[in-house]
Amino acid sequence: MKTVAAETLDTDRIHRIMAVLDEVMDPEIPVVSVTDLGIVRGLSGDPASVLVTPTYTGCPATLAIEASIRLALDSAGFGDIGIRTVLSPPWSTGWITDRGRERLRAYGIAPPPDDAAALRSGGGGPVACPRCGSFETVEVSRFGSTPCKALWRCTDCREPFDRFKCH
Amino acid sequence: MSPSLPIIQPEDEAKADRVQGGSYHAPEAVEWHPALFDYLLRLGDDSLILGQRLTEWCGHAPALEIDLSLANIGLDLIGQATFFLNLAGEVENAGRDGDKLAFHRDVLAFRNCLLVEQPNGDFAQTIARQFLFSTCQLALFQGLVGSNEPRIAEIAAKAVKEVRYHAELSAEWVIRLGDGTDESRQRMIDGLDWFWRFVDEMFEMDELEADLVAAGIAVDRTQLRCGFDIRVQQVLREATLPLPEYPRAIRGGRTGHHSEHLGHLLATMQFLPRTYPDAVW
């Protein structure tokens, strides 16, 4: 994998910074980290900084996420590492890692499809209930408790659940 | 090599270098254009004012799901406004940022179209306004993705994915209400009839935007009208609704001639930061 880390960041520091970021959890879905969600876009040298991108334009968690990353970096002795917001390319649910998907599912949130074909078709394929695994599910509301989730219901186990929207 | 570093292409990094801490540096790919500030106010104010209007529904919508939807659409719009108005402040280079432009400008200095400042009315009116606005904004942002001004292009590319949801959701509600009960149908007809007079202004071009179109920065709004009309007709047909009667169009928002309603909206929105100008969290 290609990185943009410059000389100011040797491999050891990159490992340690990424390990710190792996522990920074999303404020609204506290089981997935900022690296699981793909909102950490990488590290950039000169000046050394973490590149982050917002999920949704108006996501109110963006500021909280930046503050959490700042706190984690400072606590781990990386006070010299900055944080930069990047908009382009725009965030996509395709960047959520496999570990992130599994953590979402275990938390009761149906993860978005991970393959490019599903993303292109708008994620219209069948959605598995995160509780019982049934595909007998229906959309209740396209907007859920946060901008990134829709409200669904399983017609087999009758439980409502959040689905991470394909984006 | 770290196992979990995402791939960053060099061109992405070059783009990333233009933004720092959420705020933007001065333009580099395009020479400063005198009309850019006003254009960014138009884009940002449309989103800001409609976003503020939609938050009035919070806790009042007919059902929980649509309450969440309207609040989330409002949130997306306020997010767009933050980016556009921060960029406007950057371009103006007079020490004003997005917050300053949103909360410390008077009504005559706002450049939003009249449609977005109209009161919510009943639920069908709010849906009519959203459907007309989002259908237009979707086409506009799809065009702005190709703007020569890279910072406008990247905001549009980010927002267009969200606006697609807004346009779809509001179209579904137009169909549900139009093809629903006698009551919902009549209200949907009334809502569309009322807002139809504000549609022309969204596609209006003036010298300012024509200059920006010539510079490859803006989109020619008149070119978007045909696609808009086709989409509206398609949805209204499915909703079994008649096309609205064509009333005399009302305009003036782009030059600061607003309806009385905007002043009341701003009074609510700006009250706190104006009362405590230097307050921080």
Side-chain angles (χ1 to χ4, degrees):
Chain A
M1 257 191 193
K2 185 178 176 319
T3 76
V4 295
E7 311 75 54
T8 45
L9 291 173
D10 57 48
T11 310
D12 175 54
R13 282 195 99 202
I14 292 172
H15 274 286
R16 286 190 293 128
I17 291 168
M18 290 310 287
V20 169
L21 295 173
D22 275 341
E23 299 300 318
V24 178
M25 295 298 157
D26 179 87
E28 306 236 24
I29 313 168
V31 293
V32 287
S33 73
V34 292
T35 52
D36 288 332
L37 281 175
I39 57 183
V40 168
R41 299 306 300 140
L43 304 175
S44 173
D46 196 27
S49 21
V50 177
L51 304 180
V52 296
T53 194
T55 51
Y56 279 70
T57 314
C59 182
T62 307
L63 286 175
I65 289 170
E66 218 177 290
S68 310
I69 293 177
R70 182 73 273 153
L71 185 68
L73 289 173
D74 287 350
S75 316
F78 293 112
D80 58 324
I81 307 288
I83 300 171
R84 280 195 289 160
T85 305
V86 293
L87 282 188
S88 185
W91 178 82
S92 153
T93 43
W95 294 348
I96 299 178
T97 62
D98 289 344
R99 184 180 67 179
R101 276 169 221 287
E102 182 46 36
R103 284 175 167 181
L104 285 172
R105 200 198 52 72
Y107 191 57
I109 298 172
D114 59 352
D115 56 298
L119 281 170
R120 267 199 306 278
S121 69
V127 177
C129 169
R131 298 181 199 281
C132 72
S134 165
F135 282 98
E136 298 298 318
T137 56
V138 289
E139 183 182 80
V140 178
S141 168
R142 180 155 298 184
F143 289 83
S145 51
T146 65
C148 55
K149 286 177 286 180
L151 202 56
W152 280 62
R153 185 176 56 222
C154 174
T155 53
D156 268 345
C157 74
R158 332 256 325 154
E159 286 288 331
F161 63 90
D162 272 335
R163 183 200 181 199
F164 215 100
K165 282 193 292 207
C166 194
H167 190 71
Chain B
M1 192 56 66
S2 169
S4 55
L5 271 179
I7 301 168
I8 301 271
Q9 302 299 334
E11 59 267 33
D12 298 335
E13 196 201 359
K15 285 177 191 161
D17 281 340
R18 289 200 308 273
V19 290
Q20 187 139 28
S23 66
Y24 292 84
H25 293 309
E28 51 177 27
V30 168
E31 283 190 26
W32 183 78
H33 195 290
L36 195 53
F37 175 68
D38 277 310
Y39 187 58
L40 287 164
L41 287 187
R42 291 177 181 189
L43 295 173
D45 288 348
D46 276 359
S47 301
L48 176 69
I49 301 304
L50 187 53
Q52 172 71 15
R53 272 283 179 241
L54 288 175
T55 60
E56 292 171 15
W57 274 107
C58 203
H60 299 281
L64 183 60
E65 286 76 19
I66 188 68
D67 198 295
L68 290 171
S69 307
L70 294 176
N72 273 316
I73 294 174
L75 202 57
D76 286 344
L77 289 168
I78 290 169
Q80 295 169 10
T82 309
F83 285 118
F84 283 129
L85 294 181
N86 274 332
L87 182 53
E90 198 78 35
V91 165
E92 187 195 31
N93 199 20
R96 295 200 283 183
D97 63 2
D99 282 342
K100 204 93 183 157
L101 287 168
F103 297 124
H104 295 272
R105 242 184 325 149
D106 280 328
V107 61
L108 296 179
F110 273 78
R111 291 291 175 263
N112 57 276
C113 61
L114 297 175
L115 177 124
V116 295
E117 71 196 41
Q118 300 309 310
N120 288 334
D122 63 14
F123 179 64
Q125 271 189 38
T126 291
I127 290 299
R129 183 185 59 198
Q130 199 61 46
F131 170 60
L132 298 173
F133 179 81
S134 296
T135 305
C136 172
Q137 198 192 34
L138 179 60
L140 179 67
F141 282 7
Q142 281 169 337
L144 286 178
V145 167
S147 170
N148 274 347
E149 166 47 76
R151 296 166 308 177
I152 291 181
E154 70 180 12
I155 297 170
K158 176 89 195 149
V160 76
K161 298 165 86 173
E162 297 154 14
V163 177
R164 198 169 288 127
Y165 265 123
H166 309 169
E168 269 174 36
L169 182 107
S170 50
E172 283 168 15
W173 272 101
V174 168
I175 294 165
R176 197 168 298 143
L177 295 175
D179 195 16
T181 64
D182 289 345
E183 174 80 17
S184 71
R185 175 184 169 77
Q186 191 53 51
R187 286 181 184 235
M188 200 63 241
I189 290 173
D190 293 346
L192 286 163
D193 269 351
W194 165 247
F195 276 111
W196 202 250
R197 71 202 68 211
F198 302 106
V199 166
D200 277 3
E201 193 191 19
M202 293 195 291
F203 297 94
E204 194 177 52
M205 287 294 291
D206 58 6
E207 212 176 310
L208 183 147
E209 292 203 20
D211 283 354
L212 289 170
V213 169
I217 295 171
V219 170
D220 185 350
R221 293 178 188 263
T222 57
Q223 302 284 317
L224 309 174
R225 187 59 192 260
C226 182
F228 173 88
D229 285 342
I230 289 171
R231 175 63 183 152
V232 168
Q233 283 167 23
Q234 194 183 21
V235 171
L236 293 192
R237 196 178 311 123
E238 206 176 327
T240 70
L241 289 173
L243 267 180
E245 292 286 325
Y246 220 94
R248 180 184 289 274
I250 306 176
R251 355 175 115 87
R254 301 299 187 202
T255 48
H257 297 277
H258 293 283
S259 59
E260 178 194 349
H261 308 296
L262 183 60
H264 293 281
L265 178 147
L266 294 181
T268 307
M269 187 181 85
Q270 298 181 334
F271 154 73
L272 200 67
R274 285 198 184 229
T275 310
Y276 304 97
D278 300 316
V280 288
W281 285 110

